[in-house]
Amino acid sequence: MELAKSFEPADIEKRWYAQWESAGYFKAGAYDSTRASVRSGSESPWGNTPNAPAYCIMLPPPNVTGTLHMGHAFQHTLMDALTRYHRMAGDNTLWQPGTDHAGIATQIVVERQLDAQNISRHDLGREKFLEKVWEWKAHSGSTITRQMRRLGTSPDWSRERFTMDAGLSKAVTEVFVRLYREGLIYRGKRLVNWDPVLGTAVSDLEVVSTEEDGFIWEINYPLEDGSGHLTVATTRPETLLGDTAVAVHPEDERYAHLIGKHVRLPIAERSIPVIADGYVDREFGTGVVKITPAHDFNDWQVGQRHKLMAISVLTLDAKMNELCPTEYQGLDRYDARQKLLDELQAKGLLVSANPHKLMIPRGDRTHAVIEPMLTDQWFMSMEGLAKQGLAAVDSGELKFVPENWTTTYRQWLENIQDWCVSRQLWWGHRIPAWYDADGNFYVAHTEEDARKQAGGRELTQDNDVLDTWFSSALWPFSTLGWPEQTPELERYLPTSVLVTGFDIIFFWVARMVMMSLHFTGKVPFREVYVTGLVRDSEGQKMSKSKGNVLDPIDLIDGIAVGDLVAKRTQGLMNPKQAASIEKRTRKEFPEGIAAYGTDALRFTFASLATHGRDIKFDLQRAEGYRNFCNKLWNATRFALMNLEGHDCGQEADQPMDFSDADRWITARLQQAIGDVHEAFAAYRFDQAARTVYEFVWDEYCDWYLELAKVQLNQGTPEQQRATRRTLATVLETTLRLAHPIIPFITEELWQKVAPLAGVHGDSIMLSAYPQVDEAQRHPDSVARMQLLKELVNACRTLRGEMNLSPAQRVPLVIEGDAAVINALAPYMVALGKLGEVSAMTALPEADAPVALVGDMRMMLVVEIDKDAERARLAKEIARIQNEIKKAETKLANPSFVDKAPAAVVQQEQARLADFAAMLQKLEAQHARLN
C-alpha cells in the first residue's frame, strides 16, 4: 500500500497500539530470535531467555481516581522510552504497571457523590459504603490506564496490579504482622497532623503550608507571686486553655530570674511553670512563648524534654472540649479564639494584636486548617530501618541521578521520625488488629488467628486503615509475588531504575528502600532517576486556580478554544477568577490547541528531559517536533519513490560502488547510534532526542537526500544501486534508533522501508536496536564530505552577499586541487544552484567577493553593473549605520540597561554585534569596487 501524502497520526496511533497489545508485544521476557514472526494473538514473542540480562521498571502507581496530567505523561514517556530501548536491545524486560487505591482521594470522591444525594457514609455503614467505592472503581478506575495507552506506553498490561488486589493485600498484612512481632510497629498516643473535616490523621505530604495574613497577639500571664507578669507572644490564642508552661531561652538575661517560678494561666486559672529551653527564639515577639504540648509539634518535643502534661482542649472536629471552661465547650476553634480575646481584653491582659505573616498548614484535599492532635494511632519505628537505607547509598548499591538528590534522601533518613501508619478512614487496608471487651488488642493475619490469641473471646477489628504509602512502600516486591518466592521476584528484583519526581523522595522512595531491604535483603532498584517538575512556558506551576493546566490528551488530539475555556473554568465558584482565566486562555490560544499527535508530544517531553529541577513546557517546541515528524514522513516518501520497483542492492552478486556521500552518511549514523546509547545510559533523554533530530533533519534530509538525487540522476548503475542500498539501510536503521521515543510513526514507516532494506519482521518492536559498527566509520569519506559541506555553505554565503536569486545559475571558480574539486563538482552544482564549477590554479582579477575554505579560494563569476552595485552598497551601509546608532543609543541609556529584563538587554547587544559585522563586510565589498 502506498504511503499517504501526509502524516495523519490519529489513525496510525489507534491501529498500531491495538495491534501491539493484542499480539502480546508488551509482555515481560526477552525476545526469542527463533520466533521472529508472531502470527497468533494469544502467542507471545517473548520467552525467558536464560542469558538475557533482566531489565525492570516499576510504574509509580497513579491514583485510581486520577487522570493523566502533564507530570504523568512526561515520566511515562521516559519510562516507555527506556522500556522499548532495553526490549529491542535483547534484555529480559518488564515494565510493571498498576494503580494505587489512594485512600483519602478515593474516599472523598465517593463521599461527594453520596453528598449530592444527601447521603453520608455513616448512613450507609462501612460495608455498604465500601461496596459503593468498589462500584466506582469498576466504573471509573481505568481512565488513567486508557490515557496511558493513548501515550503509546508499553507496560505488561497482563500483569497490571491494584494495591487492594488480594495478592498485594496479603503482602500488606504479612508485613504489618511481622513488623509488629519484631517490635517495629506499636500503638501509642502521639501528636499527628489531623484534618478535622476528613476526621483522620494525614501525612506531611497531604499538608500544604502557604503564607497567609494573620496576627501575633501579646498576652500578659500574671506571675503567681503577684510580683508582675510575663508577656507571651502567640499566633494561636485559642489553644491557651491547653498551656502547661511558658518558656524562655536559657541565655536570655531578661528572664533568667524568673526560671522555675510559676504564672497563672489566664481564664483557665491554672498554675503553670516558667521553663528554659533552647527552642525559644529570643527575637520572636517578647522572647516568651506559651507551651501547649497537645496542639503544637515543637511544643510536644519541649513537653517531652521537660516532662510536661499534654492537655488536649479540642475535639476531633476542631471544637473546644470538656476540659475547657463551660462557656467555651462546643465552640468552633475560631469562635473560641474571638471569645477568648474579648475576655482577655476585658480583663486587661491583652497587650497588643499586630498583623503578622504566618505559614498555615491546610489539607490538600479539604483545604481545612490542619490541627496537631493528640490521638491514639499505630506507629512504625524507623530508626533501625533508616540506617539500612543510608547504608545502601553509602555502599553504592543505590544511586540517584542526578547525584545531588542523594543529599535530600540522606537528610530525611538522618532526621527520621517514627511513622504514623494509621488513618481514620474506611477505604484502604484495614489494620489487622482485633480488640476484646477490655481494650486488649491482638495483631494477627486473620480474625481466627487473633481469636486463638485471645483465648476464644469475642473480638472487634480495629476501624482504622493503613496509610496509602504503607502499601505503596511494598510495591517493588509485592507486585512480583512476595511473600511467595516467585521466579519473577528472583529475576527482576532489584529492579533497574525508578523514574520519579523529587517531591516524593521522602514519602515513597526512602520507604520502598527500607521495606525492600528489611523483607527481601535487596534494594528495590539500583538507580533512582529524579525528574524535574513540568511547569508552563513561563516557569509557573500548573494549577487549576491559575488556569494554566494543559491536558496531554488535548495536545495529542487538539481542542477548540471554547472547549478549553470550559475545561479550565469548570467547577470554579468565583466568577471573577473564571473570567480572568477565560481571558488568559483566549489570548494564549485564540485558535485553540492544534492536534500535535502522540509522537510529537513524546519527542517534546524527551527533548525537555534535562537533569534540571524544572521543565518549562512550550507548545512552540511541540509544533517544532510535529514538523520533525512531517519531515521524516516526507523523507521516507522521497526514499520510497526512488526505491520501490528498483534494484536496491539486496542481491549479493550485484556489484555496488559506494560514494563518499554514501560512506559519510553511514559513518554519521554510527556516531548517532553511539551517542544515543550513551544518552540512554546516562538518562539524558534530551541528548538522545537532539541526536536523532539533528541526524534526521540536518544530515539525512538536508544533505544526504540532496546528494542522493545527484547520484541517482548521474551515477553509473553500480553507483545508483549503492545509493539506493544506502538510502534504505540508513533510513531503516534510523527508524529503529528513533523508535523508543517516537513509536507510532517509526512503526508505520518501518513497515514500508524494512523490506526494501532486506529486513523482515512483523513489527519494529521485534527488531534489534542498532549497534555501532566500527568498520563503517570511514574517516576519509567523512573528511571529504566535510570539505564539500564547507564549500557549499561558502557558495551559498557568496550568493547571499551578491543578492543572487535561486533561479540564477552562475559559474563558480575555485583555486585549489583540481582532482578534489572535480570529484565534488556535480554535488556543488546541484546544492549550490550553479551553472558549473571549474578548478583553476589562480582566480581571475574581478570585483566579485572571494570566499576562503581551508587553502581554497572561490568566486562566483558574475557580470555586475559597478555603478549600480556601488549605489546599492552605499544605501545598505547607510541603513546599517543608522541601525548601529539606534542600538548604541539604547544601550547607552541607563534606564533601559537597568530596568529591562537581562534577556532583552542581551538581545540588543547581540543585534549591535551582528550589525557591526555586517557593516565590516559591506564596507570591504564597497572598497573593492572602488
Side-chain angles (χ1 to χ4, degrees):
M1 193 171 79
E2 187 184 345
L3 190 64
K5 288 185 178 178
S6 60
F7 174 49
E8 302 295 340
D11 174 63
I12 292 169
E13 292 167 12
K14 185 177 180 182
R15 175 162 42 85
W16 276 114
Y17 197 90
Q19 196 161 328
W20 290 333
E21 187 172 4
S22 64
Y25 295 166
F26 302 159
K27 289 187 176 179
Y31 183 55
D32 182 350
S33 60
T34 64
R35 301 166 66 197
S37 181
V38 181
R39 296 183 177 85
S40 156
S42 62
E43 189 179 5
S44 166
W46 313 113
N48 291 315
T49 308
N51 297 325
Y55 188 85
C56 180
I57 296 182
M58 290 282 159
L59 175 74
N63 287 357
V64 73
T65 56
T67 55
L68 194 76
H69 58 60
M70 291 292 279
H72 288 136
F74 173 55
Q75 291 180 354
H76 293 178
T77 294
L78 307 187
M79 282 182 264
D80 190 57
L82 287 169
T83 300
R84 288 177 182 272
Y85 169 75
H86 283 276
R87 193 185 279 134
M88 292 175 75
D91 293 346
N92 190 326
T93 305
L94 166 63
W95 183 11
Q96 173 65 54
T99 50
D100 190 278
H101 66 279
I104 290 176
T106 305
Q107 181 158 320
I108 286 175
V109 167
V110 178
E111 283 199 67
R112 283 176 181 165
Q113 290 174 352
L114 292 172
D115 285 345
Q117 304 167 47
N118 292 318
I119 302 171
S120 78
R121 65 181 163 110
H122 300 285
D123 296 334
L124 287 178
R126 185 173 195 136
E127 203 171 305
K128 291 286 185 188
F129 175 76
L130 291 178
E131 284 177 15
K132 290 288 184 188
V133 180
W134 280 106
E135 283 174 19
W136 179 87
K137 190 261 178 186
H139 182 259
S140 303
S142 60
T143 299
I144 197 162
T145 54
R146 285 199 307 271
Q147 291 173 323
M148 282 182 65
R149 286 170 165 87
R150 291 296 317 277
L151 199 65
T153 57
S154 61
D156 184 350
W157 292 115
S158 70
R159 292 183 52 83
E160 185 179 350
R161 298 290 184 267
F162 177 53
T163 48
M164 293 281 284
D165 284 346
L168 273 64
S169 295
K170 178 183 177 183
V172 168
T173 300
E174 180 66 26
V175 164
F176 189 95
V177 172
R178 283 199 203 178
L179 289 172
Y180 174 76
R181 289 175 180 171
E182 291 167 6
L184 294 176
I185 278 184
Y186 61 92
R187 187 159 174 80
K189 192 179 280 288
R190 292 281 188 89
L191 213 57
V192 296
N193 294 314
W194 186 265
D195 187 318
V197 173
L198 284 176
T200 181
V202 293
S203 72
D204 290 343
L205 185 66
E206 292 150 341
V207 178
V208 179
S209 293
T210 52
E211 188 177 76
E212 298 183 21
D213 290 326
F215 286 88
I216 183 167
W217 288 274
E218 293 185 352
I219 302 166
N220 283 340
Y221 283 40
L223 287 161
E224 196 168 48
D225 61 9
S227 62
H229 59 260
L230 274 176
T231 304
V232 171
T234 182
T235 58
R236 298 207 59 202
E238 67 276 14
T239 62
L240 171 151
L241 300 171
D243 289 359
T244 54
V246 293
V248 298
H249 193 278
E251 296 172 7
D252 194 333
E253 295 176 359
R254 294 173 295 174
Y255 306 114
H257 64 292
L258 296 175
I259 296 169
K261 294 198 172 190
H262 286 70
V263 295
R264 293 296 293 173
L265 183 61
I267 300 174
E269 295 302 326
R270 281 189 283 109
S271 174
I272 58 174
V274 180
I275 62 172
D277 196 282
Y279 154 69
V280 179
D281 179 359
R282 284 176 282 186
E283 306 303 319
F284 177 78
T286 60
V288 184
V289 294
K290 58 197 277 309
I291 301 299
T292 322
H295 293 291
D296 184 277
F297 288 103
N298 291 315
D299 290 5
W300 170 263
Q301 296 295 335
V302 174
Q304 294 294 102
R305 287 195 289 272
H306 295 270
K307 296 182 170 52
L308 299 175
M309 185 186 300
I311 302 174
S312 180
V313 294
L314 290 171
T315 61
L316 296 180
D317 56 353
K319 292 183 169 61
M320 309 311 287
N321 68 14
E322 72 283 356
L323 297 180
C324 302
T326 307
E327 64 271 25
Y328 285 89
Q329 292 175 18
L331 288 179
D332 175 82
R333 54 185 161 170
Y334 297 117
D335 293 337
R337 172 186 288 184
Q338 190 55 54
K339 180 175 176 61
L340 189 140
L341 289 170
D342 290 343
E343 190 170 344
L344 290 171
Q345 180 81 48
K347 291 176 181 286
L349 297 174
L350 183 61
V351 179
S352 65
N354 298 308
H356 180 69
K357 295 279 187 186
L358 64 162
M359 300 302 289
I360 299 293
R362 292 184 180 273
D364 66 347
R365 305 287 177 184
T366 62
H367 306 295
V369 175
I370 295 297
E371 193 64 57
M373 195 74 78
L374 197 59
T375 57
D376 288 311
Q377 302 285 350
W378 291 92
F379 293 90
M380 183 169 165
S381 179
M382 302 303 293
E383 188 178 353
L385 297 172
K387 287 176 181 174
Q388 291 183 63
L390 288 166
V393 291
D394 290 340
S395 67
E397 264 191 294
L398 174 68
K399 293 179 180 175
F400 282 82
V401 180
E403 193 180 359
N404 60 287
W405 291 111
T406 308
T407 305
T408 304
Y409 172 88
R410 291 191 65 89
Q411 284 173 345
W412 190 65
L413 287 184
E414 287 169 353
N415 298 282
I416 200 164
Q417 302 292 317
D418 284 1
W419 176 13
C420 175
V421 296
S422 48
R423 296 290 181 269
Q424 288 64 53
L425 302 169
W426 286 356
W427 173 244
H429 294 101
R430 198 164 176 181
I431 288 174
W434 285 262
Y435 297 82
D436 63 22
D438 298 327
N440 302 307
F441 61 82
Y442 309 90
V443 172
H445 291 90
T446 64
E447 184 174 354
E448 185 182 353
D449 290 346
R451 196 173 283 118
K452 286 176 185 174
Q453 292 180 38
R457 278 190 274 182
E458 282 299 310
L459 301 176
T460 305
Q461 189 172 358
D462 196 311
N463 279 318
D464 290 355
V465 299
L466 286 162
D467 180 5
T468 298
W469 294 103
F470 191 92
S471 53
S472 299
L474 318 183
W475 187 252
F477 54 96
S478 64
T479 53
L480 296 175
W482 189 93
E484 308 302 327
Q485 293 305 303
T486 64
E488 292 82 3
L489 191 66
E490 177 63 29
R491 184 178 302 121
Y492 294 117
L493 194 76
T495 66
S496 305
V497 63
L498 177 75
V499 178
T500 189
F502 59 80
D503 51 339
I504 53 174
I505 289 174
F506 311 138
F507 305 100
W508 189 44
V509 178
R511 286 169 177 166
M512 282 191 287
V513 173
M514 290 185 284
M515 288 291 210
S516 185
L517 285 168
H518 189 74
F519 287 100
T520 72
K522 299 176 181 179
V523 289
F525 22 74
R526 292 186 179 88
E527 293 182 304
V528 181
Y529 170 55
V530 182
T531 68
L533 181 70
V534 181
R535 297 180 177 270
D536 70 11
S537 59
E538 297 172 3
Q540 296 293 310
K541 186 176 179 179
M542 293 188 188
S543 69
K544 178 81 174 174
S545 61
K546 289 191 177 106
N548 62 346
V549 172
L550 290 170
D551 181 338
I553 304 301
D554 291 341
L555 302 185
I556 292 171
D557 294 339
I559 186 170
V561 65
D563 294 335
L564 183 59
V565 167
K567 200 170 192 176
R568 287 183 163 186
T569 56
Q570 184 180 15
L572 293 179
M573 305 302 290
N574 184 334
K576 245 183 174 180
Q577 184 187 22
S580 172
I581 288 171
E582 177 172 4
K583 184 179 178 182
R584 170 186 175 153
T585 302
R586 290 188 181 279
K587 182 180 179 182
E588 191 176 0
F589 305 109
E591 306 298 325
I593 294 175
Y596 295 106
T598 297
D599 287 320
L601 178 61
R602 286 173 60 117
F603 212 140
T604 306
F605 281 135
S607 73
L608 292 169
T610 64
H611 281 185
R613 191 181 180 103
D614 291 328
I615 309 296
K616 289 184 182 179
F617 189 89
D618 188 346
L619 279 180
Q620 287 185 338
R621 293 192 75 149
E623 189 159 343
Y625 291 115
R626 183 179 60 178
N627 293 342
F628 171 86
C629 290
N630 289 331
K631 184 93 167 177
L632 180 59
W633 187 271
N634 292 331
T636 305
R637 274 179 55 80
F638 168 81
L640 292 175
M641 284 189 291
N642 287 280
L643 295 173
E644 290 176 327
H646 294 281
D647 179 358
C648 297
Q650 294 185 31
E651 300 298 329
D653 59 347
Q654 294 295 318
M656 288 184 281
D657 182 6
F658 291 97
S659 68
D660 279 332
D662 299 328
R663 293 191 184 91
W664 163 78
I665 195 64
T666 305
R668 280 295 299 117
L669 177 60
Q670 306 315 307
Q671 183 64 48
I673 292 169
D675 290 348
V676 171
H677 278 291
E678 286 181 15
F680 273 122
Y683 304 105
R684 290 304 303 265
F685 301 92
D686 57 325
Q687 292 177 357
R690 186 169 69 247
T691 297
V692 170
Y693 184 98
E694 290 177 354
F695 177 76
V696 171
W697 193 295
D698 299 344
E699 309 283 16
Y700 189 78
C701 294
D702 283 3
W703 284 98
Y704 184 68
L705 293 187
E706 298 305 315
L707 299 170
K709 290 175 186 176
V710 176
Q711 296 174 172
L712 292 172
N713 290 329
Q714 301 178 29
T716 66
E718 292 79 11
Q719 289 170 339
Q720 291 176 353
R721 187 178 296 117
T723 296
R724 290 194 189 96
R725 180 71 179 159
T726 305
L727 268 175
T729 55
V730 170
L731 181 54
E732 188 276 334
T733 306
T734 302
L735 293 172
R736 284 186 283 126
L737 187 70
H739 177 74
I741 299 173
I742 45 175
F744 291 113
I745 190 173
T746 50
E747 178 73 274
E748 182 75 5
L749 298 179
W750 186 86
Q751 294 292 327
K752 305 288 192 296
V753 173
L756 298 168
V759 178
H760 301 281
D762 285 359
S763 170
I764 195 172
M765 284 188 65
L766 307 184
S767 58
Y769 201 72
Q771 301 296 322
V772 175
D773 182 350
E774 293 297 338
Q776 299 291 336
R777 292 290 193 177
H778 304 304
D780 293 341
S781 293
V782 170
R784 283 191 284 271
M785 291 310 299
Q786 182 59 34
L787 174 61
L788 172 64
K789 290 171 77 172
E790 290 175 13
L791 289 169
V792 170
N793 286 333
C795 175
R796 289 169 175 170
T797 301
L798 288 176
R799 293 185 67 101
E801 288 177 359
M802 299 179 74
N803 284 327
L804 296 178
S805 77
Q808 285 181 269
R809 297 268 177 178
V810 297
L812 177 76
V813 290
I814 307 178
E815 179 187 303
D817 186 324
V820 173
I821 294 165
N822 291 336
L824 300 178
Y827 301 116
M828 293 192 67
V829 168
L831 276 66
K833 301 190 183 305
L834 302 169
E836 62 177 356
V837 173
S838 305
M840 308 186 78
T841 55
L843 294 184
E845 289 294 325
D847 298 317
V850 174
L852 295 175
V853 175
D855 57 0
M856 294 185 179
R857 299 172 72 236
M858 54 195 291
M859 181 176 73
L860 291 169
V861 181
V862 182
E863 289 294 327
I864 60 172
D865 180 333
K866 288 188 178 182
D867 291 338
E869 183 64 7
R870 266 195 292 268
R872 185 191 71 79
L873 287 171
K875 185 177 178 182
E876 185 65 6
I877 286 169
R879 186 185 74 80
I880 295 299
Q881 287 172 334
N882 187 45
E883 291 291 345
I884 288 173
K885 187 176 179 182
K886 285 195 287 187
E888 286 176 339
T889 302
K890 189 181 280 190
L891 289 167
N893 183 352
S895 63
F896 169 74
V897 176
D898 296 340
K899 293 178 183 176
V904 174
V905 176
Q906 288 168 4
Q907 186 180 23
E908 195 62 28
Q909 290 168 337
R911 285 181 76 242
L912 178 59
D914 290 343
F915 285 137
M918 199 182 300
L919 180 63
Q920 193 175 3
K921 281 188 177 182
L922 290 169
E923 287 177 338
Q925 286 183 42
H926 196 269
R928 279 199 301 273
L929 285 173
N930 290 330

